Amino acid sequence: MSATNTPATATPAGYTLFHARGCCSTLILIQLRVFGIPHEAIQLSLNETRNRVDSPELRRLLAANPLAQFPTLITPDGSVMTETAAIVLYLNDRHGHQTPWGTSTLTPGQLASFYRWLVFLPANVFSTVTHMEYPARFVTIPVDSPVDSDLIHGWVKEAGKKRRADAWLILEEHLGKMTKREEAKPFLLGTEHPNMLDIYVTLLAHWSPHPRYTWLAENCPTIIENCKKTIATSAVVRDTFEENGCDAFMGKASHSKKLDEIP
């Protein structure tokens, strides 16, 4: 987790979120909405941002964060924050006390689990996205290597897939125990109401075609059931997921069609 204190241009609306459809900034957009926090969401295209296609929005993002990451958040005092878990924790500390989505009602044990798994997710689940999408970042292949670069990159991808599967199984084992206790409530930490951990897990579960959703359903039934319940809890959560193309766990035929197109 990281944050910088470089002053940036604050918005009269409060917070400014730089957001790309379907990216990790979706989680922060949901948090701002369910917490009822005044904000401005600046929409950018992920592909155009990667290719540095010039626009007023991209110039604003680069001025705040030269890495052009999603999410990037500017706080009302002009501080710039990056890293999804850091932003979730900051907004929870600042604004979570008056909302059921916050952590103020958690027991000490539940709060410890909230911190642990909130950081576990980007470190061990989301990190595998880069292994599978950008394998060249993780290995330097000599120009005279007798092994084809595509083959080597394929090995990196396969390692990422295995690491992701292992991480999901760890989550299923530990969080599943919490929901199955006799006195436990329906959500991942044994709570009556979902919190940002439930939403984060639901978002990351959308990005698991490798292993596919069928793998998650077969191996992580508690996680899958929680994703469905979390989305069903709030129209704001459901609508934000849907507008960002994350419509798994909604029983939609359109999403099944997307799965058929996954290589």
Side-chain angles (χ1 to χ4, degrees):
M1 298 183 292
S2 69
T4 66
N5 292 319
T6 304
T9 303
T11 171
Y15 291 85
T16 297
L17 173 67
F18 293 92
H19 170 60
R21 185 175 185 267
C23 291
C24 268
S25 50
T26 301
L27 179 69
I28 307 305
L29 183 61
I30 291 175
Q31 186 175 18
L32 290 166
R33 289 177 174 179
V34 298
F35 278 32
I37 302 172
H39 65 277
E40 173 192 15
I42 299 177
Q43 303 280 343
L44 293 98
S45 160
L46 177 60
N47 288 334
E48 290 181 3
T49 300
R50 284 174 174 170
N51 295 320
R52 296 300 191 264
V53 177
D54 185 55
S55 69
E57 293 79 11
L58 180 60
R59 289 195 293 272
R60 286 185 65 182
L61 173 57
L62 290 172
N65 177 6
L67 295 178
Q69 296 164 294
F70 301 108
T72 294
L73 184 76
I74 303 176
T75 69
D77 69 359
S79 298
V80 177
M81 294 198 69
T82 64
E83 313 312 321
T84 302
I87 296 173
V88 168
L89 293 173
Y90 176 83
L91 292 176
N92 181 71
D93 287 346
R94 296 281 294 166
H95 304 281
H97 303 291
Q98 303 300 321
T99 170
W101 297 94
T103 57
S104 60
T105 61
L106 297 184
T107 67
Q110 289 171 331
L111 187 61
S113 293
F114 177 84
Y115 286 129
R116 176 189 180 185
W117 298 113
L118 194 77
V119 176
F120 178 93
L121 290 170
N124 296 285
V125 179
F126 183 71
S127 62
T128 63
V129 170
T130 53
H131 286 83
M132 287 180 273
E133 292 190 0
Y134 310 104
R137 294 181 182 179
F138 298 93
V139 59
T140 300
I141 305 172
V143 293
D144 58 349
S145 172
V147 182
D148 182 73
S149 61
D150 288 342
L151 180 62
I152 296 174
H153 293 160
W155 293 338
V156 175
K157 291 180 180 180
E158 287 303 316
K161 294 176 189 178
K162 183 181 185 305
R163 182 175 176 84
R164 177 181 291 192
D166 290 344
W168 279 120
L169 290 173
I170 291 171
L171 279 167
E172 176 70 15
E173 178 184 0
H174 288 269
L175 296 178
K177 288 178 180 177
M178 298 191 74
T179 61
K180 291 173 183 174
R181 291 173 182 168
E182 184 176 343
E183 73 279 8
K185 302 299 188 291
F187 293 97
L188 287 179
L189 295 180
T191 58
E192 188 71 49
H193 193 281
N195 54 50
M196 293 309 300
L197 178 65
D198 297 280
I199 298 175
Y200 201 176
V201 168
T202 302
L203 179 62
L204 292 184
H206 280 84
W207 299 334
S208 294
H210 302 290
R212 290 177 179 271
Y213 297 95
T214 52
W215 184 95
L216 278 175
E218 293 163 2
N219 293 276
C220 304
T222 302
I223 297 291
I224 291 295
E225 184 61 27
N226 184 77
C227 291
K228 295 176 181 178
K229 289 186 293 188
T230 298
I231 286 178
T233 300
S234 163
V236 172
V237 173
R238 180 185 178 91
D239 291 348
T240 307
F241 269 118
E242 192 160 17
E243 74 187 46
N244 281 277
C246 300
D247 57 0
F249 318 118
M250 296 183 188
K252 298 183 64 173
S254 62
H255 193 81
S256 298
K257 187 175 187 302
K258 291 178 189 176
L259 293 183
D260 293 337
E261 297 169 357
I262 295 174

